[in-house]
Amino acid sequence: MDSNGDVIKHGMEDDPDLQFLLSGTELVKVRSGSWKKTRFYKLQEDCKTMWHESKKTLRSKQTFSVEDIEAVRSGRRTEGLRKYTDETLELRAFSILFRGRRKNLDLVASSDEEAKHWVSGLEKVISNVGSLNQQMKTEHWILNCLRKADINCDNKMSPQELKSFLHDINIDVEDEYVKLLFEKCDQSKSGFLEIMEIKHFYEILTQREEIDVIYGEYAKTDGVMSAANLLEFLVKEQREQVDLSYAGRLIEKYEVDEAAKAKQLMTKDGFLMYLRQPEGLIMNPANKSLYQDMKQPLNHYFISSSHNTYLLEDQLRGPSSTEAYVRALMKSCRCVELDIWDGSDGEPVIYHGYTLTSKILFKDVIKAIKEYAFKTSEYPVILSLENHCSVEQQKLMAQYMTSILGSALLTKPLGENMPTKFPSPEELKGRFLIKGKRMNKLEALFSDHAAGEEEETVTEEEDCRNDEEEGEKDTSKKPKKLKLAKELSDIVIYCKSVGFHGFEHARDSQAFYEMSSFKEGDAVKLAEKSANEYILHNVDKLSRVYPSAFRTESSNFDPVPLWNAGCQIVALNFQTPCKEMDLNRGLFGQNGLCGYVLKPAYLRDRASEFDPITLTRGPWLKHKELHVMVISAQQLPKVSQKAFSIVDPLVRVEIHGVPADKAQKETRHIQNNGFNPMWNENFQFDLYVPDLALVRFVVEDYDTVSHNDFIGQCTVPFSSLQNGYRHVPLFNKDGDLLSSAGLFVHVMAVDAE
């Protein structure tokens, strides 16, 4: 069988970094101060798999996929390397960071030059693998399974090897079917499938009957699609307002047959290629990029926000880590939480107070935030401080933030005059905002005698109960008054924390820059019983909602009712894979993944009468019918790693939004087929406030005796759906793309009569 590494190597055949990785070297793996082991690492010939072992033998070998790598970092830039290696190893050290919850791989090369080869080579391979289109990834995956099934490595397949292969790709079939399939492909009658016969078998296996039917209906030019035929499909089926030149550009871009392309024709393979690209996916590619007005006041946006950002696991014993901040920021989280306490050696630390969670240095967290805050989004980051420190360590906190964050830290309002509203995300690009307690009103900065008063005030007795202490009425610990350091108070500008004492008090006494935090239970009650008042409150001010202290396992609450009430900072436990985080990723997966999503106009209007519970008449009522046909799925992963375990997939379509729109419907399950199951089932949903609706596609492995097992999901804002025949990419529980898996659906959203 041909090497499936050839495409990945394309353009890199003579690259010294690639050749270095293919040869491999010994590296020191670092886990702790006492655990440092030498391992041999190399890139396998498929250029997609890393292989490592303790000695250069064929025993005790382990592998991991290049596709599982999130990033490669040169130098001592992880907690482990900084803590357990000497500064002299800076140029020899590097780290491999994985997707999901897998621990980093911290490594030390034998020389600076070898470390450079490893980092550069891995980055090139990761880039090449990432550039493969969906069809190439599918072919590579199948070829890998074929190679694995070829037990005696003779480039032939016996009937038993064929059955083993089918199990590997998630299909369980009767022996009689395997026999028929084998005989159909064994044209040489040798009892084995040779190379060309295996290729024929592959073509039979990957044939998409549903694509054949659709393509056949529009391939009206000698059995293939002309640009005019493709345009007819785009207008009639996909409901796109495009012209002939657009159809021609799609052919130029995605047609795989050069002869057909030269004649402006699209073959079936080219058509399938188009359907697997952004133009053919469920989410409108125009909404994947930055498309919203970013010049509105900051409080007019939903803001991607994290709770207890420092934790990697639960709230009682889990580890705290700077890596947790890196992961959240790299997922475009724009509001992170820092729970700060006095450290025993005079250095402020971050951990979950009164628990056994581990501690990390405040200054290390600020350094990590500085380095990673704007790598995926250039829009502002809010540092939400839960300050439990003494005055002296508060001063140190302020010193670290001003020295490390530098000019990026906002230390005074924008402009020369006292502001009357928030600046916009556009105006705050690349800036850090501090949320915390402040001694005085912001207006004092602009009064004639402010400078003298500020000079005289060193500390002030202040009710420094933190937001979460104020919200937890049932806590056994009494909130205490602390002194607030002037240095820390002074850098709180647009996000001054204050208690919430009712909407009337907030209207009369609360400045726009004074914001309250709400425990989830209190926030949900307000969103249910006083939704319109909550919305109007959030038109002018920021609100933060955080999980209950009783969620010790770091579970999450449903964010949708709080978004419906206009709450901007709905803080979730990013470290916990769950449906709620899927919804969060779905909402913030639009607008260039910038971490900010503009609220609908009726959530920004001071005269708004919108109430998501009662649904009074207004511009928000836009009754839509959503028709979804779940057609098929492709290459679903196994849930169980047992050799003969095959999934029984079903698909559920969920609507999340205002209560009147909330619904879910699911298909029947298909027995023993995760490779190419077919449903062809139709669903209809009625939506009344589509602007606030999220559509979630979930695939599960049906189980008759226990809960179904999660396979993958995709959540898309209703406003970003594309009509017509669409592929739906699937993401695992950690939000990472399942590279070969997907759904094929037909979607049509129409105005209800």
Side-chain angles (χ1 to χ4, degrees):
M1 289 168 227
D2 296 336
S3 168
N4 63 5
D6 291 344
V7 176
I8 302 173
K9 291 178 186 175
H10 182 68
M12 291 178 61
E13 291 85 354
D14 299 321
D15 187 278
D17 291 328
L18 177 63
Q19 297 307 317
F20 180 85
L21 265 59
L22 291 168
S23 299
T25 64
E26 287 188 341
L27 297 168
V28 176
K29 182 178 178 180
V30 179
R31 280 189 183 169
S32 68
S34 59
W35 200 102
K36 298 174 183 176
K37 306 287 186 183
T38 299
R39 298 285 185 260
F40 186 82
Y41 288 81
K42 73 185 292 287
L43 181 67
Q44 291 189 325
E45 286 296 323
D46 66 359
C47 290
K48 289 182 68 178
T49 308
M50 285 296 300
W51 176 66
H52 59 102
E53 56 184 354
S54 57
K55 292 183 179 180
K56 206 170 182 180
T57 67
L58 293 177
R59 289 177 295 177
S60 66
K61 61 183 180 181
Q62 294 181 310
T63 63
F64 60 84
S65 172
V66 169
E67 288 186 288
D68 292 336
I69 299 175
E70 180 82 46
V72 183
R73 286 190 209 158
S74 58
R76 299 164 57 252
R77 292 166 63 197
T78 61
E79 277 184 273
L81 286 175
R82 282 196 297 266
K83 189 174 181 180
Y84 302 125
T85 62
D86 192 84
E87 291 182 7
T88 57
L89 298 176
E90 180 68 32
L91 297 179
R92 289 167 52 191
F94 67 97
S95 301
I96 296 175
L97 281 68
F98 295 97
R99 300 181 189 278
R101 306 180 81 178
R102 184 173 175 175
K103 291 181 179 178
N104 301 338
L105 183 56
D106 291 332
L107 301 164
V108 178
S110 60
S111 69
D112 301 357
E113 194 63 30
E114 284 195 0
K116 287 180 184 176
H117 278 306
W118 273 108
V119 173
S120 178
L122 283 171
E123 288 177 341
K124 290 173 184 176
V125 172
I126 292 168
S127 175
N128 276 21
V129 169
S131 67
L132 296 179
N133 61 52
Q134 191 65 35
Q135 187 167 333
M136 289 177 178
K137 288 181 179 179
T138 299
E139 289 175 0
H140 287 179
W141 177 66
I142 290 175
L143 284 169
N144 271 335
C145 292
L146 283 167
R147 187 172 288 105
K148 179 182 174 185
D150 185 13
I151 299 169
N152 55 7
C153 302
D154 61 357
N155 284 342
K156 298 179 182 179
M157 291 194 75
S158 66
Q160 190 56 41
E161 287 174 328
L162 180 63
K163 187 170 177 65
S164 173
F165 163 73
L166 291 171
H167 271 97
D168 283 343
I169 65 169
N170 223 350
I171 306 177
D172 187 23
V173 294
E174 298 292 335
D175 290 345
E176 190 62 29
Y177 178 76
V178 175
K179 182 181 178 184
L180 289 172
L181 190 60
F182 189 89
E183 289 175 351
K184 184 176 181 178
C185 296
D186 184 19
Q187 297 173 350
S188 62
K189 308 300 180 185
S190 64
F192 292 90
L193 299 187
E194 307 280 352
I195 292 293
M196 294 307 295
E197 294 167 335
I198 291 173
K199 184 178 179 182
H200 180 49
F201 164 70
Y202 166 79
E203 290 170 349
I204 294 174
L205 191 68
T206 55
Q207 184 177 1
R208 296 273 303 273
E209 292 180 13
E210 70 275 36
I211 302 298
D212 293 349
V213 171
I214 299 165
Y215 181 78
E217 186 175 344
Y218 289 92
K220 301 174 181 178
T221 306
D222 296 328
V224 294
M225 272 188 181
S226 65
N229 299 152
L230 178 58
L231 178 61
E232 183 185 3
F233 169 79
L234 294 171
V235 172
K236 184 177 178 182
E237 300 290 353
Q238 309 297 72
R239 300 296 175 96
E240 295 183 23
Q241 296 180 339
V242 293
D243 57 19
L244 191 62
S245 64
Y246 176 80
R249 289 196 297 274
L250 287 181
I251 292 173
E252 184 65 30
K253 195 172 181 180
Y254 297 125
E255 177 51 52
V256 295
D257 185 302
E258 291 299 325
K261 184 189 293 186
K263 298 177 182 178
Q264 277 281 284
L265 298 173
M266 179 172 269
T267 63
K268 186 170 64 178
D269 287 342
F271 182 66
L272 180 57
M273 181 73 77
Y274 145 71
L275 285 173
R276 285 173 160 170
Q277 300 306 313
E279 293 91 338
L281 298 184
I282 188 70
M283 185 170 180
N284 186 343
N287 290 10
K288 288 280 283 186
S289 58
L290 192 71
Y291 74 100
Q292 294 182 332
D293 176 9
M294 301 304 290
K295 296 180 180 179
Q296 298 282 328
L298 191 73
N299 64 313
H300 284 188
Y301 298 82
F302 297 122
I303 303 171
S304 181
S305 308
S306 163
H307 173 252
N308 287 357
T309 314
Y310 47 90
L311 291 177
L312 289 171
E313 296 173 12
D314 66 79
Q315 314 271 318
L316 296 179
R317 297 174 179 271
S320 304
S321 173
T322 58
E323 284 302 318
Y325 286 93
V326 173
R327 292 179 187 180
L329 292 167
M330 293 299 287
K331 293 182 183 294
S332 298
C333 177
R334 298 292 89 186
C335 179
V336 296
E337 185 178 15
L338 296 84
D339 209 344
I340 316 117
W341 300 77
D342 278 354
S344 57
D345 58 355
E347 287 283 347
V349 295
I350 290 177
Y351 81 112
H352 200 212
Y354 308 110
T355 69
L356 298 176
T357 58
S358 62
K359 301 175 182 178
I360 50 178
L361 292 176
F362 175 81
K363 65 180 178 182
D364 287 347
V365 169
I366 299 301
K367 288 176 183 176
I369 290 173
K370 167 67 172 176
E371 183 174 358
Y372 290 95
F374 304 111
K375 286 191 179 294
T376 56
S377 170
E378 57 188 342
Y379 289 97
V381 171
I382 301 169
L383 306 187
S384 179
L385 305 185
E386 291 292 318
N387 170 26
H388 307 268
C389 292
S390 62
V391 169
E392 289 308 310
Q393 294 205 22
Q394 288 181 45
K395 291 179 180 179
L396 203 51
M397 287 164 53
Q399 179 185 323
Y400 285 139
M401 286 190 283
T402 53
S403 63
I404 295 170
L405 302 180
S407 60
L409 177 65
L410 198 72
T411 57
K412 62 180 181 179
L414 300 183
E416 299 301 320
N417 301 311
M418 175 60 202
T420 57
K421 63 179 182 179
F422 286 99
S424 69
E426 189 70 26
E427 292 173 294
L428 292 168
K429 271 184 180 179
R431 305 301 295 271
F432 293 99
L433 282 66
I434 305 301
K435 183 185 91 60
K437 296 293 181 179
R438 182 180 173 88
M439 289 178 180
N440 50 23
K441 293 277 188 179
L442 201 58
E443 287 83 351
L445 294 177
F446 295 89
S447 64
D448 294 336
H449 59 283
E453 286 188 351
E454 292 281 3
E455 288 291 335
E456 293 168 7
T457 305
V458 179
T459 62
E460 181 178 309
E461 192 78 12
E462 179 83 3
D463 184 357
C464 285
R465 287 180 293 179
N466 288 291
D467 297 329
E468 302 197 13
E469 289 174 331
E470 288 177 345
E472 297 295 340
K473 298 181 178 66
D474 46 13
T475 182
S476 60
K477 299 178 288 294
K478 290 184 179 179
K480 55 186 177 180
K481 290 191 174 184
L482 300 173
K483 288 186 175 181
L484 182 61
K486 171 186 178 296
E487 293 86 346
L488 187 59
S489 169
D490 284 353
I491 58 176
V492 174
I493 305 300
Y494 289 112
C495 300
K496 177 184 177 181
S497 297
V498 298
F500 179 72
H501 305 291
F503 293 123
E504 185 176 353
H505 178 271
R507 279 195 303 272
D508 296 341
S509 307
Q510 201 170 313
F512 78 90
Y513 56 83
E514 293 179 318
M515 61 176 291
S516 300
S517 288
F518 302 83
K519 183 177 65 173
E520 62 168 277
D522 295 337
V524 169
K525 286 178 185 176
L526 291 172
E528 289 176 350
K529 297 179 180 179
S530 308
N532 183 253
E533 282 190 282
Y534 212 174
I535 287 167
L536 296 178
H537 174 84
N538 291 322
V539 168
D540 293 314
K541 300 170 183 68
L542 284 169
S543 288
R544 174 178 174 267
V545 182
Y546 60 91
S548 165
F550 295 111
R551 293 185 180 274
T552 55
E553 75 285 16
S554 294
S555 61
N556 280 308
F557 59 92
D558 183 0
V560 173
L562 288 315
W563 291 329
N564 292 344
C567 295
Q568 301 89 347
I569 302 177
V570 181
L572 299 179
N573 290 303
F574 268 50
Q575 70 272 30
T576 304
C578 57
K579 176 175 72 175
E580 293 77 19
M581 275 305 299
D582 293 340
L583 297 174
N584 195 77
R585 284 187 287 262
L587 176 66
F588 292 104
Q590 60 181 314
N591 204 31
L593 294 169
C594 75
Y596 287 83
V597 170
L598 186 64
K599 296 195 289 185
Y602 47 83
L603 294 182
R604 298 180 272 126
D605 180 5
R606 287 188 177 91
S608 178
E609 297 179 357
F610 175 63
D611 187 316
I613 309 300
T614 61
L615 286 190
T616 53
R617 289 194 174 275
W620 44 83
L621 278 180
K622 306 169 187 174
H623 188 187
K624 299 277 187 180
E625 287 181 1
L626 176 63
H627 300 267
V628 178
M629 183 181 188
V630 179
I631 301 172
S632 62
Q634 299 78 44
Q635 288 92 59
L636 300 176
K638 289 188 176 186
V639 175
S640 171
Q641 297 307 308
K642 294 178 181 177
F644 292 97
S645 174
I646 307 294
V647 300
D648 304 323
L650 62 81
V651 178
R652 183 169 61 255
V653 183
E654 304 171 351
I655 308 296
H656 298 265
V658 300
D661 292 349
K662 195 168 183 179
Q664 63 178 43
K665 297 179 181 181
E666 68 181 36
T667 67
R668 69 191 188 283
H669 70 276
I670 303 293
Q671 285 193 331
N672 295 328
N673 187 351
F675 183 76
N676 55 2
M678 187 91 70
W679 290 276
N680 290 320
E681 294 192 34
N682 290 287
F683 303 132
Q684 179 182 326
F685 301 92
D686 286 287
L687 285 79
Y688 296 92
V689 188
D691 294 337
L692 293 174
L694 297 168
V695 183
R696 183 172 182 250
F697 297 88
V698 191
V699 185
E700 293 180 342
D701 180 13
Y702 176 75
D703 196 311
T704 56
V705 295
S706 63
H707 292 299
N708 295 343
D709 292 317
F710 176 86
I711 295 176
Q713 72 85 38
C714 178
T715 302
V716 181
F718 174 86
S719 57
S720 294
L721 289 176
Q722 294 204 99
N723 282 324
Y725 289 103
R726 303 294 175 181
H727 277 104
V728 181
L730 293 177
F731 300 85
N732 67 16
K733 62 181 182 179
D734 294 308
D736 297 319
L737 181 68
L738 296 169
S739 61
S740 296
L743 293 174
F744 188 57
V745 301
H746 185 272
V747 171
M748 193 57 61
V750 297
D751 293 331
E753 295 181 358

